[in-house]
Amino acid sequence: MGREDQGVSKSRHRYQVIPRVLCFVTHDDAATGDATVLLLRGGPHKRLWAGRYNGLGGHVEAGEDIYAATLREVHEEAGLEIHDLLLRAVVHADAGDPNLGILFFVFTAQADSTAVTPSDEGALEWHRQDALPLADMVEDLPVLLPKVLAMQPHDPPLFAAYSYDEADRLVMRFADRV
């Protein structure tokens, strides 16, 4: 199958999505028994989510697979080497454009160390999983993050669609699977 067989030239008029990755890196402290998650508090200069907590992540580059994009983003934003990278959710987000949306892939991963390298993206902070700063998170995380952190290693990923109602409030729909 050649490139033309992918049908891109015939699909330019169709709805398209921008791929992004989001990763929640966890660490289990054997000495204290604390389970923590690394959150990034977006810097004040950030165009998106300034001052809000989020996981690590960003755009998928041309020619890059989703897994590699996640490893790259975690390393760029925190200087961490991670393992046990698991796909936890695929979210299709309405971006308010009838021709373009966001498709993001949500992962969890483990880090053996809490030592991070600061980046220009914002402040990196480890938070106990039982004391998350929910009120200061990106709008969807108070619902999404607890779901993702509660998943077991062999659980299948969640599937969700985000949209906005007439009052511009986020509506999150998770697929019901039997």
Side-chain angles (χ1 to χ4, degrees), residues 11-20 59 92-103 162 164:
S11 297
R12 292 212 184 272
H13 67 284
R14 298 189 69 170
Y15 179 78
Q16 297 180 32
V17 295
I18 298 170
R20 292 184 182 161
H59 289 86
H92 182 203
D94 175 356
D97 182 325
N99 298 313
L100 191 62
I102 306 294
L103 187 65
Y162 293 1
Y164 292 86

Side-chain angles (χ1 to χ4, degrees), residues 48-120:
L48 298 175
W49 308 301
R52 310 287 289 187
Y53 286 107
N54 203 351
L56 306 176
H59 289 86
V60 177
E61 302 296 336
E64 186 176 46
D65 67 70
I66 303 301
Y67 189 88
T70 307
L71 294 174
R72 176 186 53 75
E73 287 286 349
V74 168
H75 192 265
E76 285 177 2
E77 293 183 0
L80 281 173
E81 298 300 324
I82 56 174
H83 56 88
D84 297 330
L85 184 63
L86 299 172
L87 178 63
R88 296 309 195 173
V90 178
V91 179
H92 182 203
D94 175 356
D97 182 325
N99 298 313
L100 191 62
I102 306 294
L103 187 65
F104 65 98
F105 301 84
V106 182
F107 291 86
T108 58
Q110 292 282 321
D112 291 329
S113 168
T114 58
V116 295
T117 303
S119 78
D120 292 337

Side-chain angles (χ1 to χ4, degrees), residues 3 5 13 20 24 34 84 89 129 132 161:
R3 288 185 184 128
D5 293 328
H13 67 284
R20 292 184 182 161
F24 296 103
D34 287 339
D84 297 330
Q129 291 182 28
L132 296 171

